[in-house]
Amino acid sequence: MRTTLRTRTAVLAVITAGALALAGCGGGDDGEKADGGSDGGGKKSAPSVKLPKLDGEKLEVAAVWTGPEQKNFEKVLDEFGKRTGAEVTFVPAQDPIVNFLGSKIAGGDPPDVAMLPQPGAIKQAVDKKWAKPVGPEAKAQLAKNYTKGWQEIGEVGDESYGVYFKAANKSLVWYNATVFDNAGAKEPKTWKDLVSTAQTVYDSGVTPFSVAGADGWTLTDWFENIYLSQAGPEKYDQLAEHKIKWTDPSVKKALTTLAEIWGKKDFLAGGQTGALQVDFPKSVEQTFTGGDQPKSGMVFEGDFAAANAQEAKAEIGKDAKIFPFPAVGDEAPVVTGGDAAVALKDTEASQALLTFLASTDAAEIWAKQGGFISPNKEMDQSAYPNDVLRDIGKALVDAGDQFRFDMSDQAPQVFGGTPGKGEWKALQDFLKNPKDVAGAQKQLEDAAAKAYKN
């Protein structure tokens, strides 16, 4: 799916004026509106969606989520089980999930539903004839609760296969408020300001950035935000479809800009070599632990980093604050991502789970836990536990269909979503040697040409 960014400025204005200005952290007007659940104040609330009785049915759901994400998703699955009588089991999957599913299917033991983190993975599942179309009840929930854009991302051809349950704003920088206060640093608005702020933090005695180099997907997010802001939405779409090559001058410019931070060893916790050993959860943890002397002052990633910050005992809005990814070009970027539920077995239980995940009931269960943003426009925004997440969620809904989806997630998975290969590997190599812009471009283009076959 391709959408325009005419409302990017408006979206960022909503974010900046609200949560990301971070005047404070609001209380939790939590709402768990599952059948028999409570709204946070002990009151019963009626379910918004009717589900079938599935007593005795067993359902397996595969996802790559671990840690707090897995725990919070299991709460959603538990509620589905309570309401239907089905026995639901979470199946931990490995990246790339398509390879994991291929092994399970070849062994005759596929899960009933899989949470796929890339539109490219949905297309692969359809092409391999694994995925089953979304049923009428789930489609009705999608039509009621989702904008056309979010429905279209889950489509292949004219058929709906994916229910996007979890979305992400991937244009955020999280920072340690104590570090910024001690350094006298201010939230930057432009890339130039970000580099200057990093120097201010460094001069105060704290390494500016924690970069999760062990997880290649975080590196693609760095590149995408710079590229979207600097090259613009039209070029972004062209590169996403490989209609222009990775050897294009616009890519050179973006990588050169990225090297202004990645190329400074003192700006990265552990330097370039150390960053390559840090995974995403660790990158957040080491930003919000260590008192006045954490290993880093800032970490770039999406709203979902809130769960990891909370695991590090940081209070969102007080200890852990955020600002929009600074404008590199004329406008700040708005990059989104998401995870879609896809049925691999066309059973009543599988379709019922898709229906539930497309409802406001399911979205509100995870929303109240934090570390989650829903593309469900009908979900009660008061379900978010604090003003930070509430305003991020509102900004996503207010954006309607005006956003850009994560570029690497749109790519063939062998290029944009496979550890040790394609874009992930090329950007890890670039993090190791940020001076070799031309070499990185060649490596990216060689891998893209093979993956896209164009």
mmCIF file of all heavy atoms in Angstrom, residues 8-38:
data_model
loop_
_atom_site.group_PDB
_atom_site.id
_atom_site.type_symbol
_atom_site.label_atom_id
_atom_site.label_comp_id
_atom_site.label_asym_id
_atom_site.label_seq_id
_atom_site.Cartn_x
_atom_site.Cartn_y
_atom_site.Cartn_z
ATOM 1 N N ARG A 8 1.575 14.958 7.376
ATOM 2 C CA ARG A 8 2.675 14.660 8.276
ATOM 3 C C ARG A 8 2.892 15.767 9.297
ATOM 4 O O ARG A 8 3.081 15.535 10.476
ATOM 5 C CB ARG A 8 3.982 14.472 7.492
ATOM 6 C CG ARG A 8 4.301 13.039 7.196
ATOM 7 C CD ARG A 8 5.685 12.906 6.687
ATOM 8 N NE ARG A 8 5.897 13.746 5.521
ATOM 9 C CZ ARG A 8 7.104 14.086 5.075
ATOM 10 N NH1 ARG A 8 8.166 13.685 5.697
ATOM 11 N NH2 ARG A 8 7.242 14.823 4.001
ATOM 12 N N THR A 9 2.885 17.016 8.824
ATOM 13 C CA THR A 9 3.127 18.132 9.711
ATOM 14 C C THR A 9 2.064 18.192 10.789
ATOM 15 O O THR A 9 2.350 18.430 11.963
ATOM 16 C CB THR A 9 3.144 19.449 8.921
ATOM 17 O OG1 THR A 9 4.136 19.349 7.898
ATOM 18 C CG2 THR A 9 3.476 20.617 9.821
ATOM 19 N N ALA A 10 0.800 17.973 10.405
ATOM 20 C CA ALA A 10 -0.291 18.005 11.376
ATOM 21 C C ALA A 10 -0.130 16.900 12.411
ATOM 22 O O ALA A 10 -0.372 17.101 13.600
ATOM 23 C CB ALA A 10 -1.631 17.870 10.671
ATOM 24 N N VAL A 11 0.261 15.717 11.943
ATOM 25 C CA VAL A 11 0.444 14.599 12.863
ATOM 26 C C VAL A 11 1.528 14.917 13.883
ATOM 27 O O VAL A 11 1.370 14.727 15.086
ATOM 28 C CB VAL A 11 0.806 13.313 12.096
ATOM 29 C CG1 VAL A 11 1.167 12.204 13.068
ATOM 30 C CG2 VAL A 11 -0.365 12.880 11.235
ATOM 31 N N LEU A 12 2.660 15.429 13.410
ATOM 32 C CA LEU A 12 3.752 15.761 14.321
ATOM 33 C C LEU A 12 3.355 16.876 15.267
ATOM 34 O O LEU A 12 3.777 16.898 16.420
ATOM 35 C CB LEU A 12 5.002 16.164 13.528
ATOM 36 C CG LEU A 12 6.017 15.041 13.311
ATOM 37 C CD1 LEU A 12 6.638 14.628 14.624
ATOM 38 C CD2 LEU A 12 5.394 13.857 12.609
ATOM 39 N N ALA A 13 2.502 17.789 14.807
ATOM 40 C CA ALA A 13 2.034 18.862 15.681
ATOM 41 C C ALA A 13 1.215 18.293 16.829
ATOM 42 O O ALA A 13 1.335 18.720 17.975
ATOM 43 C CB ALA A 13 1.204 19.865 14.894
ATOM 44 N N VAL A 14 0.365 17.317 16.497
ATOM 45 C CA VAL A 14 -0.440 16.675 17.541
ATOM 46 C C VAL A 14 0.468 16.014 18.567
ATOM 47 O O VAL A 14 0.295 16.148 19.779
ATOM 48 C CB VAL A 14 -1.397 15.621 16.927
ATOM 49 C CG1 VAL A 14 -2.048 14.795 18.022
ATOM 50 C CG2 VAL A 14 -2.465 16.310 16.096
ATOM 51 N N ILE A 15 1.464 15.281 18.079
ATOM 52 C CA ILE A 15 2.371 14.570 18.980
ATOM 53 C C ILE A 15 3.152 15.553 19.841
ATOM 54 O O ILE A 15 3.232 15.434 21.052
ATOM 55 C CB ILE A 15 3.352 13.685 18.184
ATOM 56 C CG1 ILE A 15 2.589 12.573 17.468
ATOM 57 C CG2 ILE A 15 4.388 13.083 19.110
ATOM 58 C CD1 ILE A 15 3.455 11.726 16.570
ATOM 59 N N THR A 16 3.745 16.553 19.187
ATOM 60 C CA THR A 16 4.612 17.469 19.904
ATOM 61 C C THR A 16 3.840 18.268 20.933
ATOM 62 O O THR A 16 4.300 18.488 22.043
ATOM 63 C CB THR A 16 5.306 18.427 18.911
ATOM 64 O OG1 THR A 16 5.995 17.650 17.938
ATOM 65 C CG2 THR A 16 6.300 19.319 19.635
ATOM 66 N N ALA A 17 2.624 18.720 20.577
ATOM 67 C CA ALA A 17 1.831 19.518 21.504
ATOM 68 C C ALA A 17 1.336 18.692 22.669
ATOM 69 O O ALA A 17 1.059 19.210 23.741
ATOM 70 C CB ALA A 17 0.646 20.135 20.773
ATOM 71 N N GLY A 18 1.232 17.383 22.455
ATOM 72 C CA GLY A 18 0.687 16.525 23.499
ATOM 73 C C GLY A 18 1.759 15.758 24.235
ATOM 74 O O GLY A 18 2.581 16.320 24.947
ATOM 75 N N ALA A 19 1.794 14.453 24.000
ATOM 76 C CA ALA A 19 2.646 13.579 24.798
ATOM 77 C C ALA A 19 4.105 13.923 24.672
ATOM 78 O O ALA A 19 4.842 13.882 25.649
ATOM 79 C CB ALA A 19 2.437 12.127 24.374
ATOM 80 N N LEU A 20 4.549 14.235 23.483
ATOM 81 C CA LEU A 20 5.975 14.364 23.274
ATOM 82 C C LEU A 20 6.525 15.668 23.801
ATOM 83 O O LEU A 20 7.728 15.861 23.871
ATOM 84 C CB LEU A 20 6.301 14.178 21.789
ATOM 85 C CG LEU A 20 5.826 12.830 21.261
ATOM 86 C CD1 LEU A 20 6.243 12.628 19.829
ATOM 87 C CD2 LEU A 20 6.349 11.706 22.116
ATOM 88 N N ALA A 21 5.650 16.597 24.148
ATOM 89 C CA ALA A 21 6.109 17.760 24.896
ATOM 90 C C ALA A 21 6.390 17.333 26.327
ATOM 91 O O ALA A 21 7.173 17.950 27.041
ATOM 92 C CB ALA A 21 5.053 18.853 24.883
ATOM 93 N N LEU A 22 5.695 16.242 26.728
ATOM 94 C CA LEU A 22 5.956 15.590 27.998
ATOM 95 C C LEU A 22 5.855 16.527 29.186
ATOM 96 O O LEU A 22 6.742 16.625 30.009
ATOM 97 C CB LEU A 22 7.325 14.898 27.967
ATOM 98 C CG LEU A 22 7.323 13.714 27.021
ATOM 99 C CD1 LEU A 22 8.728 13.315 26.684
ATOM 100 C CD2 LEU A 22 6.592 12.550 27.613
ATOM 101 N N ALA A 23 4.728 17.231 29.256
ATOM 102 C CA ALA A 23 4.489 18.050 30.431
ATOM 103 C C ALA A 23 4.243 17.180 31.649
ATOM 104 O O ALA A 23 4.365 17.615 32.781
ATOM 105 C CB ALA A 23 3.284 18.950 30.191
ATOM 106 N N GLY A 24 3.872 15.942 31.413
ATOM 107 C CA GLY A 24 3.648 15.043 32.538
ATOM 108 C C GLY A 24 3.113 13.724 32.069
ATOM 109 O O GLY A 24 2.933 13.500 30.884
ATOM 110 N N CYS A 25 2.860 12.870 33.009
ATOM 111 C CA CYS A 25 2.366 11.525 32.709
ATOM 112 C C CYS A 25 1.033 11.338 33.388
ATOM 113 O O CYS A 25 0.950 11.390 34.606
ATOM 114 C CB CYS A 25 3.379 10.495 33.210
ATOM 115 S SG CYS A 25 2.924 8.807 32.881
ATOM 116 N N GLY A 26 -0.023 11.146 32.597
ATOM 117 C CA GLY A 26 -1.372 11.083 33.147
ATOM 118 C C GLY A 26 -1.675 9.765 33.799
ATOM 119 O O GLY A 26 -0.945 8.794 33.670
ATOM 120 N N GLY A 27 -2.775 9.742 34.489
ATOM 121 C CA GLY A 27 -3.216 8.524 35.144
ATOM 122 C C GLY A 27 -3.797 7.560 34.152
ATOM 123 O O GLY A 27 -4.014 7.870 32.997
ATOM 124 N N GLY A 28 -4.073 6.363 34.611
ATOM 125 C CA GLY A 28 -4.541 5.325 33.703
ATOM 126 C C GLY A 28 -6.041 5.175 33.720
ATOM 127 O O GLY A 28 -6.603 4.537 34.596
ATOM 128 N N ASP A 29 -6.709 5.734 32.718
ATOM 129 C CA ASP A 29 -8.129 5.485 32.539
ATOM 130 C C ASP A 29 -8.274 4.191 31.766
ATOM 131 O O ASP A 29 -8.704 4.169 30.625
ATOM 132 C CB ASP A 29 -8.782 6.640 31.763
ATOM 133 C CG ASP A 29 -8.677 7.945 32.520
ATOM 134 O OD1 ASP A 29 -8.813 7.904 33.762
ATOM 135 O OD2 ASP A 29 -8.469 8.984 31.878
ATOM 136 N N ASP A 30 -7.847 3.115 32.413
ATOM 137 C CA ASP A 30 -7.737 1.851 31.715
ATOM 138 C C ASP A 30 -9.099 1.271 31.428
ATOM 139 O O ASP A 30 -10.036 1.421 32.173
ATOM 140 C CB ASP A 30 -6.935 0.840 32.545
ATOM 141 C CG ASP A 30 -5.562 1.384 32.917
ATOM 142 O OD1 ASP A 30 -5.046 2.179 32.127
ATOM 143 O OD2 ASP A 30 -5.054 1.011 33.991
ATOM 144 N N GLY A 31 -9.202 0.524 30.323
ATOM 145 C CA GLY A 31 -10.471 -0.101 30.007
ATOM 146 C C GLY A 31 -10.296 -1.458 29.416
ATOM 147 O O GLY A 31 -9.865 -1.593 28.299
ATOM 148 N N GLU A 32 -10.628 -2.498 30.157
ATOM 149 C CA GLU A 32 -10.561 -3.851 29.632
ATOM 150 C C GLU A 32 -11.974 -4.299 29.372
ATOM 151 O O GLU A 32 -12.704 -4.686 30.266
ATOM 152 C CB GLU A 32 -9.871 -4.775 30.640
ATOM 153 C CG GLU A 32 -9.652 -6.166 30.073
ATOM 154 C CD GLU A 32 -8.865 -7.027 31.032
ATOM 155 O OE1 GLU A 32 -7.975 -6.523 31.702
ATOM 156 O OE2 GLU A 32 -9.164 -8.227 31.097
ATOM 157 N N LYS A 33 -12.406 -4.214 28.133
ATOM 158 C CA LYS A 33 -13.814 -4.419 27.819
ATOM 159 C C LYS A 33 -14.097 -5.804 27.274
ATOM 160 O O LYS A 33 -14.861 -5.989 26.358
ATOM 161 C CB LYS A 33 -14.289 -3.348 26.837
ATOM 162 C CG LYS A 33 -14.264 -1.950 27.459
ATOM 163 C CD LYS A 33 -14.913 -0.935 26.565
ATOM 164 C CE LYS A 33 -14.970 0.428 27.205
ATOM 165 N NZ LYS A 33 -15.624 1.440 26.366
ATOM 166 N N ALA A 34 -13.415 -6.773 27.804
ATOM 167 C CA ALA A 34 -13.705 -8.143 27.412
ATOM 168 C C ALA A 34 -14.861 -8.654 28.261
ATOM 169 O O ALA A 34 -15.131 -8.153 29.340
ATOM 170 C CB ALA A 34 -12.471 -9.016 27.602
ATOM 171 N N ASP A 35 -15.519 -9.665 27.754
ATOM 172 C CA ASP A 35 -16.679 -10.224 28.441
ATOM 173 C C ASP A 35 -16.259 -10.712 29.819
ATOM 174 O O ASP A 35 -15.341 -11.511 29.960
ATOM 175 C CB ASP A 35 -17.237 -11.391 27.615
ATOM 176 C CG ASP A 35 -18.578 -11.859 28.142
ATOM 177 O OD1 ASP A 35 -19.204 -11.110 28.902
ATOM 178 O OD2 ASP A 35 -18.981 -12.971 27.752
ATOM 179 N N GLY A 36 -16.911 -10.207 30.828
ATOM 180 C CA GLY A 36 -16.596 -10.622 32.183
ATOM 181 C C GLY A 36 -15.422 -9.885 32.770
ATOM 182 O O GLY A 36 -15.060 -10.106 33.915
ATOM 183 N N GLY A 37 -14.779 -8.974 31.996
ATOM 184 C CA GLY A 37 -13.647 -8.221 32.497
ATOM 185 C C GLY A 37 -14.101 -6.942 33.152
ATOM 186 O O GLY A 37 -15.280 -6.713 33.387
ATOM 187 N N SER A 38 -13.131 -6.097 33.477
ATOM 188 C CA SER A 38 -13.473 -4.835 34.106
ATOM 189 C C SER A 38 -12.858 -3.697 33.333
ATOM 190 O O SER A 38 -11.983 -3.890 32.501
ATOM 191 C CB SER A 38 -12.973 -4.815 35.554
ATOM 192 O OG SER A 38 -11.575 -4.683 35.588
#
